[in-house]
Amino acid sequence: MQVSIETTNGLERKLTVGVPANKVDDVANSRMKELARTQRINGFRPGKVPLTVIKKRFGTHVRQEVVSEVMQRSFYEAIIQEKLQPAGAPHIEPVVMEEGKDLEFTATFEIYPEIELQDFSTISIEKVASEVQDDDLSKMLDTLREQQANWVEVKRKSKEGDQVIIDFTGTIDGEEFNGGKADDFALLLGSSQMIPGFEDQLIGTKAGDELNVTVTFPEDYQNKDVAGKEAVFATKVSKVNKKEILKMGELADKLGIADSSVATLKSDIRKNMERELGQVLKSKVKEQVMDALVEKHEFDIPKSMIDQEVENLKQQALQQFGGQMASLPDLPSELFEEKAIKRVKLGLIVGEVIKQNKISADKDMVKTKLEELAAVYEQPEEVINYYLSDENKLNEVEQLVLEDSVIDFIIDKAKSTEVSMSFDEVMNPDKETSEEA
């Protein structure tokens, strides 16, 4: 087998491979002889069909099949011989494939880039130190008491913060419109859930009241058919409810705490807060490391890998729309390209760190990670068994362990500074930003 290699562009390589004619012809003839023994053709006894008849009837198809197999096999032999690592499927094209002549074909593909790992000691990382304080726990309990609150019907006029149960039918110029009607609709007054001005007109109403609520849809309203138009909603109030905040014991009972124990409730909530805090702190460091790796390494990225990652991201986006792929337009690849490039680049760098430093994920590390993932579920043992029974899922956990190991490896070599932040600052960074603005 003769092989020549050409660099066409960046990571793209073009192999020209020559295969002796007999490697194709001998196999093709052998298969046609087998067909001669098994085919039933009118005018000939079984097993006595002349080879010339078989060649005339099946020769072209058999040869094409054999040529395809030989090209695939020879391609893999060629890349092993040339010590090449394809980053994607090759485009194989025959050049010479006539019977009696040496087979010649080309294979065009991309290879993995050579990555020169940079000095990780030049990476600077900010580590955040934070703890769950008693005040943080109290705020969380108050939030949960409010979120789990009961709505209790009251016989008085509504006020901001109350919930009203209403039926309404909207019309524009006397005609009903799509999406303008609802029955037993629960509306929290002051939540800005409805069109501006709608909720204000319901403050001061009571059960049994009927009124017309007149509002104007914003010019930029998502439904262009009603945007900028005045609408009248014939509205009937059936109930006015006030929020009844739960006591601590009631909250414990509602959350399924054994014996409705307030002490157990506080302990469980604190543990959850500490676990979430730890995950966020770890994520912040990981993000810094990943960003630094992308910034400090420059190399060509196989286009085929980027294209595949773009498709993966598209599928993920479509699934977020409820999996109704058929009813959604084809999403432009440009929307995902930047993220795809970053993910592929990170994957290649992390893979190189693992390879050069012989980083591995042992069973104990995988077990610890599994327990960590399962801890947030009510039946953690079932979750662990689910992962252990699915090789693909278990492989995902192993990849997470490897990634965590790479992060730890780099952190050990990087320059790090420590800053202190409150639980609220860590968990609600957007709140801090909005307050500063």
Side-chain angles (χ1 to χ4, degrees):
M1 183 174 69
Q2 294 181 335
V3 180
S4 65
I5 184 167
E6 175 188 354
T7 299
T8 53
N9 181 33
L11 296 173
E12 190 177 83
R13 300 291 183 269
K14 183 177 181 180
L15 284 180
T16 301
V17 182
V19 182
N22 66 297
K23 282 202 170 183
V24 177
D25 296 343
D26 290 353
V27 175
N29 287 331
S30 175
R31 289 194 185 176
M32 282 185 279
K33 286 177 182 177
E34 182 64 30
L35 284 172
R37 289 194 294 270
T38 59
Q39 286 297 310
R40 292 181 176 274
I41 297 178
N42 290 337
F44 300 96
R45 287 180 295 164
K48 298 295 183 179
V49 182
L51 191 59
T52 53
V53 174
I54 293 294
K55 280 188 176 182
K56 187 174 180 180
R57 182 170 291 194
F58 302 106
T60 300
H61 173 74
V62 169
R63 184 171 179 81
Q64 287 176 346
E65 187 179 78
V66 171
V67 165
S68 177
E69 292 173 6
V70 170
M71 287 193 299
Q72 290 289 339
R73 184 171 62 251
S74 299
F75 167 73
Y76 289 108
E77 290 174 358
I79 62 173
I80 291 171
Q81 175 182 309
E82 300 297 322
K83 297 185 170 76
L84 297 172
Q85 283 189 298
H91 173 68
I92 296 177
E93 197 169 1
V95 178
V96 178
M97 57 183 295
E98 290 92 340
E99 185 175 357
K101 293 184 179 180
D102 288 350
L103 171 66
E104 184 177 315
F105 68 91
T106 61
T108 307
F109 54 94
E110 290 178 293
I111 61 171
Y112 284 100
E114 291 185 8
I115 301 172
E116 183 181 348
L117 295 179
Q118 300 302 301
D119 183 359
F120 297 142
S121 67
T122 62
I123 294 176
S124 296
I125 297 168
E126 184 179 82
K127 290 183 177 180
V128 176
S130 183
E131 293 181 353
V132 177
Q133 305 292 341
D134 290 343
D135 285 348
D136 299 320
L137 177 60
S138 296
K139 287 178 185 177
M140 181 61 71
L141 290 167
D142 288 344
T143 299
L144 288 171
R145 288 169 60 209
E146 177 127 0
Q147 289 174 346
Q148 299 291 330
N150 296 319
W151 289 103
V152 180
E153 186 175 1
V154 292
K155 302 298 182 182
R156 59 164 172 75
K157 291 182 178 181
S158 64
K159 58 185 179 180
E160 188 168 327
D162 285 342
Q163 180 191 72
V164 289
I165 308 300
I166 57 175
D167 301 334
F168 61 81
T169 301
T171 58
I172 294 177
D173 297 330
E175 298 289 332
E176 291 187 24
F177 56 91
N178 289 335
K181 185 174 183 178
D183 294 327
D184 293 326
F185 185 79
L187 175 61
L188 177 61
L189 299 179
S191 65
S192 300
Q193 182 180 352
M194 302 294 279
I195 305 161
F198 191 103
E199 294 168 23
D200 295 340
Q201 297 174 59
L202 290 172
I203 292 176
T205 59
K206 62 183 185 301
D209 283 355
E210 296 186 25
L211 69 158
N212 286 333
V213 176
T214 303
V215 293
T216 300
F217 283 95
E219 294 289 345
D220 59 352
Y221 194 69
Q222 59 187 6
N223 184 349
K224 300 304 179 186
D225 293 336
V226 300
K229 296 179 181 179
E230 183 179 87
V232 177
F233 290 86
T235 306
K236 180 177 180 180
V237 180
S238 57
K239 281 184 184 179
V240 176
N241 297 326
K242 74 170 184 177
K243 184 179 282 188
E244 190 175 78
I245 305 298
L246 298 182
K247 296 177 182 178
M248 291 290 288
E250 293 171 328
L251 176 63
D253 182 59
K254 196 165 187 178
L255 294 180
I257 303 297
D259 301 324
S260 300
S261 166
V262 173
T264 303
L265 169 69
K266 289 182 176 181
S267 175
D268 287 354
I269 298 300
R270 182 184 282 275
K271 286 177 183 175
N272 286 336
M273 292 173 70
E274 288 172 344
R275 181 169 55 247
E276 289 178 13
L277 176 62
Q279 290 172 346
V280 171
L281 293 177
K282 185 176 180 179
S283 177
K284 285 179 178 293
V285 172
K286 179 178 179 179
E287 186 177 353
Q288 292 178 68
V289 171
M290 293 302 196
D291 287 345
L293 288 176
V294 170
E295 182 184 343
K296 289 186 175 294
H297 292 85
E298 288 297 332
F299 52 86
D300 290 335
I301 304 172
K303 186 178 182 302
S304 56
M305 294 182 73
I306 296 171
D307 292 342
Q308 182 58 55
E309 190 59 36
V310 165
E311 287 304 311
N312 292 340
L313 291 171
K314 277 187 182 182
Q315 294 304 314
Q316 291 172 17
L318 289 169
Q319 287 169 11
Q320 288 174 1
F321 285 104
Q324 300 175 354
M325 299 182 191
S327 63
L328 290 169
D330 187 30
L331 298 171
S333 296
E334 293 77 13
L335 291 175
F336 307 96
E337 194 165 274
E338 184 178 347
K339 186 174 182 180
I341 290 172
K342 183 176 180 180
R343 285 176 66 162
V344 172
K345 188 174 183 179
L346 277 172
L348 290 170
I349 297 168
V350 168
E352 191 65 22
V353 175
I354 290 170
K355 180 175 133 186
Q356 289 194 23
N357 297 282
K358 297 180 174 57
I359 296 172
S360 60
D362 61 39
K363 290 183 179 180
D364 289 340
M365 294 166 70
V366 173
K367 181 183 176 184
T368 300
K369 189 67 176 181
L370 264 177
E371 291 171 349
E372 178 186 319
L373 293 171
V376 297
Y377 295 92
E378 289 184 9
Q379 303 292 335
E381 284 301 321
E382 290 184 10
V383 176
I384 291 172
N385 290 333
Y386 166 71
Y387 274 93
L388 291 175
S389 64
D390 188 322
E391 189 175 338
N392 290 329
K393 288 292 182 185
L394 190 59
N395 185 56
E396 289 176 10
V397 178
E398 289 174 353
Q399 291 306 310
L400 288 174
V401 171
L402 282 171
E403 196 172 88
D404 287 348
S405 298
V406 169
I407 298 300
D408 291 340
F409 177 81
I410 295 171
I411 289 172
D412 285 342
K413 297 181 178 298
K415 298 172 185 175
S416 62
T417 56
E418 188 170 293
V419 296
S420 295
M421 294 176 68
S422 69
F423 175 84
D424 202 40
E425 287 172 331
V426 173
M427 303 301 291
N428 303 296
D430 293 339
K431 176 183 173 183
E432 296 297 319
T433 303
S434 62
E435 287 178 355
E436 288 174 9

